[in-house]
Structures are given as structure tokens and as C-alpha cells.
Amino acid sequence: MAVTLNERGYARARKLIEQGRYVLDGRDAWSEHQPSTEKKNEFIAAHGIGEYAKWHLGVDDEEPPERKAHFKFPYGDFDKVHRCGVLSAEVRAGQYKHADIERAAAHLHGMLEALRQVQSA
């Protein structure tokens, strides 16, 4: 499996954070906050697979690009970036040795942590 960084997804995440579209949720909240299969299907039906792709940090070249399975490491809920999603992506990318995705997620994590520090000051 060749999973690589999805530059479009990474750029979208950075832009959303810069626009203030993020949630500074707890580390372990992703299982509750990630979109359900039904939500994913509804989003694709309404916006297309190209927009769905932008909500993921990785792509798997062994899966067809028109399938959800092509996209890995989601980070948000189709509206906002979730800190818990970014942390999950960072940890999983590290576990599976996807260094480029891990670095991208770590950068997003750093952006969110900086904002957390500002908000708590």
C-alpha cells in the first residue's frame, strides 16, 4: 500500500485553521466527532468525491480515486478541523511509517496548540 500526503487536504486544513474553523477538542474525542458512514455518503452525494478528498491528509494509490477507501487520515467533520482528528492522524501515520503525513499532521497540531495557548492566556 502506497499511502502518500494529500497536498490538497493538507492545504485545506491549514486554510480552515487560519480562518478560525477548528475545534480544540480532547485527544480522545475523535471516535465521537468523526463523521459517520451515513454523513460521509451524504457529503459525497452533495459535494462530490473531490471535496470529500480535501478532508483527508492521505491518499492510497492502490485504491481507485473514485472510492472513499482511496482517502486516508481524515481530520475534520466537513465543516471544521478537529484537534482530535489531527492527533489521530498524526499518531496513526507515525505507527504506519507515513512520515510525510505524520509531519503534516504534526504541523497542523502545532498550529492548533498555538491557538489553544492564545485562548487560555
Side-chain angles (χ1 to χ4, degrees):
M1 173 167 70
V3 177
T4 58
L5 179 63
N6 176 9
E7 293 285 352
R8 290 173 55 210
Y10 178 47
R12 164 70 66 88
R14 288 191 324 264
K15 185 175 182 179
L16 290 171
I17 292 169
E18 290 166 359
Q19 293 173 342
R21 292 178 54 193
Y22 57 85
V23 178
L24 297 175
D25 43 15
R27 175 178 282 290
D28 299 321
W30 189 234
S31 61
E32 296 170 20
H33 293 178
Q34 67 182 316
S36 66
T37 299
E38 182 179 349
K39 277 275 207 203
K40 291 174 186 177
N41 292 339
E42 289 172 0
F43 185 86
I44 292 168
H47 304 282
I49 199 77
E51 284 300 308
Y52 177 80
K54 294 177 187 175
W55 287 94
H56 297 80
L57 294 177
V59 290
D60 180 351
D61 69 1
E62 292 187 5
E63 293 287 342
E66 67 277 358
R67 299 194 56 215
K68 287 188 293 186
H70 183 73
F71 306 101
K72 309 288 186 199
F73 303 101
Y75 61 80
D77 63 4
F78 305 126
D79 181 44
K80 295 180 179 175
V81 174
H82 280 252
R83 178 178 173 268
C84 60
V86 169
L87 291 171
S88 176
E90 183 179 3
V91 169
R92 286 187 310 116
Q95 288 171 339
Y96 292 104
K97 310 284 191 254
H98 301 306
D100 55 345
I101 297 168
E102 183 181 17
R103 279 191 300 275
H107 180 252
L108 297 172
H109 179 191
M111 291 175 72
L112 294 168
E113 288 306 311
L115 292 164
R116 226 169 80 146
Q117 294 297 321
V118 168
Q119 287 183 4
S120 67

